[in-house]
Amino acid sequence: MIKIVAVLCSLSSPANCHQQTVTTSDFADVSMQSCLMGAPQLAEWMKQHPAERLAAWRCVLGKQEGKGA
């Protein structure tokens, strides 16, 4: 499984950031190559969440859980 994990910051409070799993390959066509190149799924997710700014993202293999930012 490949997960796209984004670090998102609130536009109203830029110091308020958190990690969010945007999608996994279980639910979308995510390859490691598409994830590393910015994944169209990430852009689509950001359109649906206009109150947040994308600070960073990473691609995670397996079922590893990430907590905090």
Side-chain angles (χ1 to χ4, degrees), residues 23-41:
T23 190
T24 69
S25 57
D26 286 349
F27 301 107
D29 184 24
V30 179
S31 68
M32 184 55 80
Q33 182 177 0
S34 72
C35 184
L36 293 171
M37 295 181 72
Q41 296 86 355

Side-chain angles (χ1 to χ4, degrees), residues 28-57:
D29 184 24
V30 179
S31 68
M32 184 55 80
Q33 182 177 0
S34 72
C35 184
L36 293 171
M37 295 181 72
Q41 296 86 355
L42 185 55
E44 185 61 34
W45 193 91
M46 291 304 299
K47 284 183 196 174
Q48 297 171 15
H49 298 84
E52 296 183 296
R53 176 184 63 83
L54 178 65
W57 83 88

